[in-house]
């Protein structure tokens, strides 16, 4: 093994810690990964691991590190085992050697244990060759193998690579109502394979089992959310080591839709009035009101609720039943209202020869009035008529706008005889939908399950010998609209698309109020609704799609009656986005008629296949961009030829994928097409490659030699900003550039960059200059303690360190009598010290100097106080300590935790409290003291408080509070307990 491998193993361990997981990639079994690693530098290890599917890179490096650096030449082996082998799990592999003696016997060992021939291990001897074949390799075969001939050995490592776990059935997008159960299900390629679930990029763990449940059944993996909330909306991802699948969850508040509203009624005495409505949820209950007062069932009033239909029936209608009736669904902020009109028909005495009369005004209609009926509902026309003798009734129907031509041969005088005619012809009641009934004083015309063709003008004609009367009733049948045309996708983005569609050909007789849009993945069967409020436009932008996944769209039209059938699905489309612009575009070389450009790949490539790069150019000042070559190139460099000499040109590069071109990457300035005789190059002196340190006030003179023809343009900057000509002088020649500072200052410190440039070809170099000075004085010198002949001192570092590190401190002392200063410490590194061997009876003051590489600070820091070294024999006065107050108010150190338990099994709630004296503990349920109830047991041990609930039932759920009280105060904690019925 090469020495460079061993030298870099320790350096590479940082990568192993950062990337502990193995990477698995499909790899051809004949590739010798060990040989590639031998030839590659350590910086390429990660790339090779990804490319060739090294499954345990950490283990491989550790095991290879133990192998010998150099193999000695062997007398027994002509050819030894390769340093390492790799095989996929389930495949077979052959380990081969060549021996010098054809009759030599070899032994094979695995991790030091001898291998014996079997169905899995096959030994072969062919001339000088010895083969070990391992069939159906498993992870147990990932080991170190040894071949022995006498005392000589050769070693190898076998690495078994697991195939990646693939997702064979992807997750499906789901849309549920709040409180419903959600199941995300996928299927992987191998039973028992581990998977990882994430929500919006955050891993879901077993600790969240109360919220999420993870189910595994063979190759199926299921994520279960028991009761979905709005917070559960987002993108859910399942990941394996071979791929991932993402799906979106939308959770919506429950909305109640009204399929059929209640309608106004006009009834006569003794008849029955029935109000009926239909809503979308069978479980919704409701209350009926009359003039704002709740209606109660009685002998004449019946309230029923069957499925989605709610009915209020009133038998034997009386005048006092007239009023406004309202139905209010429970839990929803809207109502349905209708009016009950009581019709009292007064028939005065008329002579026998009374001409017939149609009384439409009695039922709230007038001549030429219009009745609107919803398709599928019953049409009932109840027309009061009078006349003596009893008139004959004929019904006719004509289409809208078509004149009515009644027949001349009307039926004979039969009491309330009724016929139905259309355009002068009697309608046959073939399908049984049309009925005409005659009663005394009334003629009732009924159509069961109205359809669109039932719309028109219905005429009723009554005749008797005294005359005739005619009335027209216009019937309009309204329905849901026809489905819109198939939507068309106008454009797509990274996670969005814009679709448009044509309105429906027939609006159902009511204006179209808007549209509902749905989408689904092409390979899925589940459609997801994108809008819950009706969308009024015919162009919609759908978002939150997954890039690279194929989708379809469809649309519903909505009017006052309801929602149409869905439109045909759109053509499948894939949300994609162009790549980001190429990076690092620069000029590599230039001549009189050509230029060489180079660049780096875009930072974001997108999910679709990459097509290549397109290069364009134009003359400076022009907007006409010309392609530099036919088609696209997949290389990161290009040579553009046949350019006009001396012309200034602009160049740009775009990256192309299925979504189109990216934003262009352009050169910062135009390039003159002319040959550069000598490329610009800076020759930075060796002494300037390190930080240049100068003292304040010294002169700085930097000479930077360079080359380049024609003469390059030289530019200096400091920390990215132009130089100040008042402080810095620059002199340039054809071969060098000089930077001169006569008197250096602190602000002259920084990074200086010099750049030489010929057209777009440039070279740069940096010089770091540090200007240093004497430090300032230390701060806040204090005498911390005095004992015996010792004084403890402490201070803080100076604010100004002179732009370099403080190397130490000089501490001095002086007797106040003589004020002569003597050194206590020199080059002292810490910011505290003890001055010893002081003279008894003297009073001392102290000062400290800071030192750096330039020297000592000009000013010291003096101690504010002095230290007096007392004489022996002085009485010691012990310090007086205030008695400590050990009382402490109660405080909970561990709170109660909300729990969910199963009914019938004992449950406990625990917390911990501290306090002096020991606090009194009281337990509450829903703020009611439960200390004396037999169902509960309370324990207290070493401050740990426990409440035991014996065999709880659902009524034991609620808010439990624990309160601790002593003379210093009180504290309380609470939690919620949920008791679930056993499944």
């Amino acid at each position: 093994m090469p020495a460079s491998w061993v030298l870099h193993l320790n350096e590479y361990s940082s990568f192993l810690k950062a990337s502990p997981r193995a990477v698995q990639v499909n790899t051809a079994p004949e590739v010798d990964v060990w040989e590639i690693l031998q030839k590659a530098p350590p910086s390429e290890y990660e790339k090779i691991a990804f490319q060739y599917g090294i499954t345990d890179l950490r283990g491989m490096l550790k095991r290879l590190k133990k192998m010998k650096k150099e193999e000695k030449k062997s007398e027994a082996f002509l050819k030894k085992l390769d340093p390492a082998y790799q095989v996929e799990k389930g495949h077979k592999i052959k380990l081969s050697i060549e021996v010098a003696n054809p009759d030599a016997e070899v032994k094979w060992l695995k991790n030091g244990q001898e291998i014996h021939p079997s169905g899995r291990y096959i030994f072969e001897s062919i001339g000088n060759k010895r083969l070990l074949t391992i069939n159906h390799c498993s992870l147990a075969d990932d080991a170190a193998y040894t071949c022995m001939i006498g005392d000589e050995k050769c070693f190898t490592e076998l690495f078994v690579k697991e195939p990646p776990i693939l997702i064979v059935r992807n997750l499906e997008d789901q849309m549920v109502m709040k409180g419903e159960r959600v199941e995300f299900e996928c299927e992987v390629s191998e039973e028992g394979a581990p998977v990882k679930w994430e929500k919006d990029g955050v891993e879901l763990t077993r600790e969240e089992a109360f919220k999420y449940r993870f189910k595994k059944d063979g190759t199926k993996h299921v994520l279960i959310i028991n009761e979905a909330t709005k917070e559960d909306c987002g993108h859910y991802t399942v990941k394996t080591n071979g791929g991932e699948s993402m799906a979106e969850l939308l959770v919506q508040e429950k909305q109640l839709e009204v399929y059929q509203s209640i309608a106004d009624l006009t009834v006569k005495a003794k008849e029955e009035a029935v109000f009926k409505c239909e809503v979308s949820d069978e479980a919704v209950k409701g209350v009926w009101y009359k003039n704002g007062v709740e209606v109660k069932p009685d002998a004449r009033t019946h309230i029923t609720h069957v499925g989605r239909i709610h009915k209020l029936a009133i038998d034997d209608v009386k005048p006092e039943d007239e009023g406004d009736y309202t139905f209010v669904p429970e839990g929803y902020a809207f109502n349905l209202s209708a009016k009950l009109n009581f019709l009292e028909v007064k028939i005065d005495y008329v002579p026998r020869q009374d001409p017939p009369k149609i009384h439409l005004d009695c039922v709230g209609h007038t001549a030429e009035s219009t009745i609107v009926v919803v398709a599928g509902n019953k049409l009932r026309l109840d027309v009061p008529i009078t006349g003596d003798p009893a008139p004959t009734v004929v019904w006719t129907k004509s289409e809208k706008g078509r004149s009515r031509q009644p027949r001349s041969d009307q039926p004979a005088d039969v009491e309330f005889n009724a016929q139905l005619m259309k355009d002068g012809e009697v309608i046959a009641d073939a399908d049984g939908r049309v009925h005409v009934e005659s009663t005394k004083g009334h003629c009732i015309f009924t159509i069961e399950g109205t359809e669109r063709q039932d719309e028109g003008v219905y005429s009723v004609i009554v005749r008797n010998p005294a005359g005739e009367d005619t009335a027209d009733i216009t019937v309009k049948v309204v329905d849901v609209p026809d489905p819109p045309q198939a939507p068309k996708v106008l454009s797509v983005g990274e996670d969005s698309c814009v679709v448009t569609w044509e309105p429906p050909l027939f609006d159902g007789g009511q204006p179209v109020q808007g549209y509902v849009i749905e989408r689904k993945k092409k390979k899925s069967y589940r459609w997801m609704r994108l809008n819950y409020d009706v969308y009024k436009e015919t162009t919609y932008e759908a978002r939150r799609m997954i890039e690279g996944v194929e989708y379809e769209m469809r649309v519903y039209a909505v009017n006052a009656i309801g929602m149409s059938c869905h439109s045909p699905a759109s053509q499948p489309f894939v949300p994609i986005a162009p790549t980001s612009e190429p990076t690092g575009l620069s000029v590599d070389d230039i001549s009189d008629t050509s230029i060489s450009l180079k660049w780096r790949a875009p930072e974001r490539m997108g999910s679709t296949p990459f097509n290549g790069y397109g290069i364009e150019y134009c003359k400076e000042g022009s907007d006409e961009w010309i392609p530099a070559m036919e088609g696209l190139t997949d290389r990161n460099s290009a040579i553009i030829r046949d350019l006009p000499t001396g012309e200034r040109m602009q160049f740009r590069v775009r990256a192309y994928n299925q979504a189109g071109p990216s934003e262009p990457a352009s050169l910062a300035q135009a390039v003159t097409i002319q040959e550069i005789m000598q490329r610009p190059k800076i020759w930075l002196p060796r002494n300037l490659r390190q930080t240049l340190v100068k003292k304040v006030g010294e002169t700085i003179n930097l000479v930077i030699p360079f080359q380049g023809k024609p003469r390059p343009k030289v530019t200096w900057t400091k920390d990215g900003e132009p130089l100040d000509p008042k402080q810095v002088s620059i002199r340039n020649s054809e071969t060098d550039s000089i930077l001169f500072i006569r008197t250096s200052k602190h602000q002259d410190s920084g990074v200086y960059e010099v750049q030489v440039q010929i057209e777009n070809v440039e070279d740069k170099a940096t010089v770091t200059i540090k200007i240093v000075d004497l430090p300032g004085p230390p701060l806040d010198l204090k005498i911390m303690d005095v004992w015996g002949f010792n004084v403890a001192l402490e201070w803080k570092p100076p604010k100004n360190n002179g732009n370099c590190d403080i190397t130490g401190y000089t501490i001095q002392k002086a007797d106040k009598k003589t004020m002569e200063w003597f050194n206590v410490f020199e080059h002292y590194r810490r910011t505290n010290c003890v001055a010893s061997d002081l003279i008894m009876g003297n009073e001392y003051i102290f000062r400290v100097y800071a030192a750096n590489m330039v020297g000592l600070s000009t000013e010291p820091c003096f101690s504010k106080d002095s230290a007096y070294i007392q004489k022996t024999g002085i009485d010691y006065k012990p310090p007086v300590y205030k008695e400590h107050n050990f009382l402490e108010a109660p405080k909970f150190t561990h709170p109660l935790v909300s729990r969910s338990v199963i009914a019938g099994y004992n449950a406990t709630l625990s917390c911990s409290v501290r306090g002096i004296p020991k606090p009194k503990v009281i337990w509450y349920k829903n703020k009611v003291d439960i200390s004396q109830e037999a169902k509960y047991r309370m324990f207290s041990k070493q401050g740990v408080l426990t409440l035991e609930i014996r065999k709880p039932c659902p009524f034991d759920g609620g808010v439990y509070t624990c309160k601790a009280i002593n003379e210093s105060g009180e504290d309380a904690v609470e939690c919620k307990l949920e008791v679930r019925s056993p499944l």
Side-chain angles (χ1 to χ4, degrees):
M1 183 172 60
S4 61
W5 176 280
V6 179
L7 292 175
H8 288 290
L9 282 174
N10 291 332
E11 299 176 8
Y12 196 64
S13 64
S14 61
F15 161 70
L16 295 174
K17 293 177 182 177
S19 306
R21 294 188 303 159
V23 180
Q24 299 182 340
V25 181
N26 291 330
T27 310
E30 65 272 9
V31 173
D32 192 345
V33 179
W34 165 235
E35 183 178 352
I36 294 173
L37 284 172
Q38 279 184 309
K39 298 178 181 179
S43 60
E44 298 291 326
Y45 293 165
E46 180 181 3
K47 183 178 178 181
I48 294 171
F50 276 89
Q51 183 175 358
Y52 293 103
I54 298 176
T55 58
D56 186 6
L57 191 55
R58 173 186 290 183
M60 179 177 183
L61 293 176
K62 285 183 178 179
R63 287 151 61 182
L64 291 176
K65 183 179 178 182
K66 298 177 183 179
M67 299 176 64
K68 295 180 180 180
K69 296 181 181 179
E70 295 181 2
E71 294 287 349
K72 297 180 180 179
K73 189 172 181 180
S74 172
E75 296 180 357
F77 292 94
L78 295 179
K79 179 184 176 183
K80 294 187 176 183
L81 293 168
D82 292 340
Y85 294 85
Q86 179 172 298
V87 64
E88 288 190 1
K89 181 181 176 182
H91 291 207
K92 73 175 182 178
I93 190 171
K94 290 187 177 183
L95 308 182
S96 173
I97 64 167
E98 292 185 14
V99 296
N101 182 6
D103 298 327
E105 294 186 0
V106 301
K107 289 184 179 180
W108 294 93
L109 292 83
K110 171 184 173 183
N111 289 338
Q113 301 293 324
E114 185 175 356
I115 303 174
H116 299 285
S118 64
R120 293 188 65 245
Y121 300 103
I122 300 174
F123 298 171
E124 295 181 73
S125 176
I126 305 173
N128 289 65
K129 287 188 176 182
R130 301 293 186 269
L131 302 175
L132 169 62
T133 303
I134 306 175
N135 293 317
H136 304 292
C137 290
S138 64
L139 294 180
D141 296 316
D142 189 286
Y145 289 83
T146 306
C147 182
M148 294 182 59
I149 302 178
D151 295 333
E152 291 197 31
K153 304 177 183 178
C154 63
F155 305 90
T156 189
E157 291 280 345
L158 177 61
F159 299 96
V160 180
K161 182 179 70 173
E162 284 192 278
I165 306 299
L166 303 178
I167 298 178
V168 297
R169 184 158 64 86
N170 291 321
L171 301 176
E172 299 283 352
D173 292 339
Q174 297 206 38
M175 178 192 64
V176 298
M177 305 305 292
K178 183 177 178 181
E180 292 183 351
R181 175 187 173 102
V182 180
E183 291 190 7
F184 284 107
E185 181 178 313
C186 72
E187 189 172 345
V188 297
S189 57
E190 186 175 330
E191 289 191 10
V195 302
K196 182 172 74 171
W197 292 92
E198 293 182 355
K199 176 182 180 290
D200 295 331
V202 179
E203 183 176 0
L204 304 177
T205 63
R206 298 285 179 182
E207 298 175 0
E208 302 176 78
F210 185 75
K211 180 72 177 177
Y212 303 103
R213 287 176 50 208
F214 305 95
K215 183 180 176 182
K216 185 188 298 185
D217 182 11
T219 60
K220 292 183 179 179
H221 292 261
V222 184
L223 170 64
I224 301 173
I225 306 174
N226 286 323
E227 294 183 0
T229 63
K230 294 289 287 184
E231 290 76 18
D232 295 321
C233 291
H235 288 86
Y236 289 79
T237 307
V238 59
K239 292 184 176 181
T240 68
N241 59 9
E244 64 179 54
S245 176
M246 179 185 292
E248 183 179 7
L249 173 62
L250 295 178
V251 181
Q252 297 294 334
E253 297 285 351
K254 290 186 177 180
Q255 296 184 355
L256 189 67
E257 296 183 14
V258 179
Y259 293 155
Q260 180 181 348
S261 181
I262 57 177
D264 293 343
L265 296 178
T266 301
V267 295
K268 295 186 295 187
K270 302 295 184 177
E271 291 185 347
E272 180 187 23
V274 179
F275 291 103
K276 181 177 76 170
C277 65
E278 183 178 359
V279 295
S280 58
D281 192 347
E282 296 182 0
V284 171
K285 298 180 180 179
V287 181
W288 291 90
Y289 295 89
K290 175 191 174 187
N291 296 329
V293 180
E294 184 177 352
V295 177
K296 301 292 185 180
D298 54 26
R300 289 193 310 113
T301 306
H302 310 285
I303 298 176
T304 59
H305 173 202
V306 179
R308 297 180 302 194
I309 298 176
H310 298 259
K311 285 186 179 181
L312 170 64
I314 304 174
D315 297 334
D316 191 16
V317 175
K318 299 179 179 179
E320 56 266 24
D321 294 326
E322 188 174 32
D324 293 322
Y325 287 81
T326 304
F327 174 75
V328 180
E330 289 185 359
Y332 294 91
F334 71 93
N335 57 63
L336 307 176
S337 299
K339 189 171 184 179
L340 176 62
N341 298 308
F342 181 78
L343 176 63
E344 185 175 357
V345 180
K346 297 180 179 180
I347 302 177
D348 297 329
Y349 172 77
V350 294
R352 293 291 298 175
Q353 293 294 324
D354 186 11
K357 179 67 176 177
I358 300 174
H359 301 275
L360 287 181
D361 54 341
C362 296
V363 293
H365 298 293
T366 59
E368 304 296 336
S369 60
T370 300
I371 295 176
V372 179
V373 61
V374 178
N377 290 356
K378 180 195 292 187
L379 172 64
R380 186 173 186 269
L381 302 178
D382 187 351
V383 180
I385 58 176
T386 58
D388 192 11
T392 300
V393 182
V394 177
W395 289 88
T396 63
K397 174 181 180 291
S398 63
E399 302 295 340
K400 286 185 177 179
R402 185 182 300 178
S403 61
R404 177 173 52 85
Q405 300 292 338
R407 292 175 55 184
S408 59
D409 52 339
Q410 298 298 335
D413 292 341
V414 179
E415 184 176 1
F416 292 103
N417 183 24
Q419 295 182 4
L420 178 63
M421 309 180 71
K422 180 178 180 181
D423 297 334
E425 301 295 332
V426 177
I427 297 177
D429 193 10
D431 54 2
R433 295 191 306 113
V434 182
H435 308 282
V436 178
E437 301 177 21
S438 296
T439 60
K440 186 176 182 180
H442 286 271
C443 184
I444 303 171
F445 175 72
T446 305
I447 301 179
E448 301 285 348
T450 53
E451 300 173 355
R452 289 184 186 176
Q453 57 266 30
D454 295 327
E455 186 173 292
V457 178
Y458 290 80
S459 300
V460 55
I461 305 171
V462 292
R463 289 189 181 92
N464 70 2
E468 71 175 36
D469 194 10
T470 303
D472 289 340
I473 302 174
T474 302
V475 175
K476 182 179 181 181
V477 179
V478 295
D479 198 356
V480 297
D482 288 345
Q485 305 297 315
K488 298 178 182 178
V489 179
L490 297 181
S491 62
V492 295
E494 181 179 359
D495 62 347
S496 63
C497 76
V498 177
V499 296
T500 185
W501 58 90
E502 294 295 331
L505 299 177
F506 176 65
D507 62 3
Q510 294 287 323
V512 174
Q513 298 177 347
Y515 302 91
V516 172
I517 303 96
E518 292 184 336
R519 76 155 189 249
K520 79 173 182 70
K521 296 176 182 176
K522 180 69 168 67
K523 297 182 180 180
S524 173
Y525 60 89
R526 188 191 303 273
W527 288 90
M528 288 190 62
R529 188 168 177 174
L530 300 183
N531 63 307
Y532 285 87
D533 295 328
V534 175
Y535 186 74
K536 299 182 182 300
E537 307 297 330
T538 56
T539 301
Y540 182 81
E541 182 178 8
R543 293 189 173 275
R544 301 182 68 184
M545 291 187 281
I546 303 172
E547 185 179 5
V549 176
E550 200 171 17
Y551 287 91
E552 292 177 329
M553 307 284 289
R554 69 184 186 186
V555 184
Y556 297 81
V558 180
N559 64 6
I561 306 305
M563 185 185 300
S564 72
C565 296
H566 61 78
S567 71
S570 68
Q571 292 295 323
F573 64 93
V574 178
I576 53 176
T579 69
S580 59
E581 68 274 6
T583 59
L585 177 63
S586 61
V587 176
D588 190 36
D589 197 5
I590 191 170
S591 69
D592 288 338
T593 60
S594 65
I595 188 172
S596 176
L597 302 175
K598 62 180 180 180
W599 59 88
R600 294 190 298 274
E603 295 180 354
R604 180 178 55 80
M605 298 298 292
S607 62
T608 57
F610 179 66
N611 296 337
Y613 300 97
I615 303 101
E616 298 174 314
Y617 65 88
C618 74
K619 294 182 180 181
E620 187 178 26
S622 172
D623 294 333
E624 183 181 356
W625 290 93
I626 303 171
M629 60 180 66
E630 293 184 4
L632 304 176
T633 177
D634 56 357
R635 302 179 60 184
N636 287 52
S637 62
I639 299 176
I640 305 173
R641 306 182 189 276
D642 300 328
L643 298 174
T645 303
E647 191 74 49
R648 289 183 62 81
M649 310 288 288
Q650 273 282 8
F651 297 89
R652 69 183 186 185
V653 179
R654 295 174 182 263
Y656 287 77
N657 65 3
Q658 188 175 344
S662 69
E663 292 294 322
S666 304
L667 293 174
Q669 58 186 12
V671 181
T672 303
I673 306 301
Q674 64 181 18
E675 186 172 2
I676 298 176
M677 303 300 296
Q678 188 179 39
R679 295 178 61 86
K681 177 67 178 177
I682 297 175
W683 303 101
L684 189 66
R686 185 179 298 275
N687 66 311
L688 297 181
R689 297 176 187 175
Q690 298 178 347
T691 301
L692 179 64
V693 180
K694 291 286 185 178
K695 295 181 182 179
V696 171
E698 290 185 346
T699 299
I700 299 176
N701 189 21
L702 305 182
V703 180
I704 310 296
F706 58 80
Q707 69 179 27
K709 290 183 181 180
R711 180 174 174 174
K713 177 184 177 183
V714 182
T715 306
W716 282 88
T717 58
K718 174 180 176 285
D719 298 329
E721 300 293 334
L723 299 181
D724 183 5
K726 296 180 181 179
Q727 178 67 14
V728 183
S729 299
I730 303 295
R731 192 204 71 189
N732 298 322
S733 68
E734 293 185 358
T735 58
D736 59 28
S737 179
I738 299 175
L739 180 144
F740 180 76
I741 303 175
R742 184 175 301 278
T743 304
S744 59
K745 300 179 182 178
H746 272 302
Q747 54 265 33
D748 294 326
S749 299
V751 178
Y752 291 78
E753 182 181 82
V754 58
Q755 173 183 295
V756 293
Q757 181 177 8
I758 302 175
E759 294 297 340
N760 283 58
V761 183
E762 62 182 28
D763 192 18
K764 297 179 181 179
T766 58
V767 178
T768 303
I769 298 177
K770 179 187 286 188
I771 308 300
V772 298
D773 195 4
L774 293 174
L779 304 174
D780 198 16
L781 175 59
K782 295 180 181 179
I783 297 175
M784 305 302 296
D785 195 8
V786 180
W787 75 99
F789 305 103
N790 308 296
V791 175
L793 303 174
E794 188 175 295
W795 62 92
K796 295 180 181 179
K799 277 187 177 180
N800 177 19
N801 63 1
N803 202 26
C804 58
D805 295 335
I806 299 296
T807 58
Y809 300 91
T810 298
I811 301 96
Q812 296 181 339
K813 66 182 179 181
D815 186 356
K816 292 190 71 172
K817 297 176 183 178
T818 63
M819 289 305 294
E820 293 183 14
W821 292 96
F822 299 92
N823 287 347
V824 179
F825 294 104
E826 288 184 302
H827 308 298
Y828 191 77
R829 303 283 296 180
R830 290 180 289 185
T831 57
N832 56 74
C833 71
V834 176
S836 304
D837 300 328
L838 302 178
I839 299 173
M840 182 176 60
N842 288 356
E843 187 174 2
Y844 291 90
I845 59 175
F846 299 88
R847 67 184 183 186
V848 180
Y849 290 87
N852 62 9
M853 62 182 296
V854 182
L856 291 176
S857 59
T858 56
E859 297 290 335
C861 177
F862 291 92
S863 61
K864 295 181 180 180
D865 303 322
S866 60
Y868 178 72
I869 308 304
Q870 294 184 354
K871 297 181 180 180
T872 59
I874 299 177
D875 293 338
Y876 172 73
K877 294 182 179 179
V880 179
Y881 298 100
K882 183 179 179 180
E883 185 178 354
H884 182 70
N885 181 14
F886 290 96
L887 296 180
E888 182 181 0
K891 182 178 180 181
F892 284 90
T893 59
H894 191 282
L896 292 172
V897 179
S898 298
R899 295 193 57 193
S900 176
V901 300
I902 299 176
Y905 296 88
N906 288 0
T908 59
L909 302 176
S910 298
C911 59
S912 60
V913 68
R914 70 181 184 190
I916 300 175
K918 183 178 179 181
K920 178 183 178 182
V921 178
I922 305 175
W923 288 88
Y924 298 89
K925 175 195 171 186
N926 295 333
K927 299 183 179 180
V928 177
D929 189 354
I930 58 173
S931 301
Q932 304 302 322
E933 294 192 20
K935 186 178 184 67
Y936 304 96
R937 288 201 303 172
M938 296 81 172
F939 304 94
S940 175
K941 183 176 182 182
Q942 299 295 326
V944 178
L945 310 178
T946 304
L947 173 67
E948 181 182 22
I949 307 171
R950 300 178 180 178
K951 296 184 178 180
C953 63
F955 298 102
D956 292 320
V959 178
Y960 285 80
T961 306
C962 181
K963 180 181 288 187
I965 306 172
N966 67 7
E967 60 189 33
S968 298
E970 64 179 44
D971 195 9
V973 291
E974 64 179 29
C975 71
K976 290 183 179 180
L977 178 66
E978 178 187 0
V979 181
R980 297 178 283 119
S981 299
L983 298 178

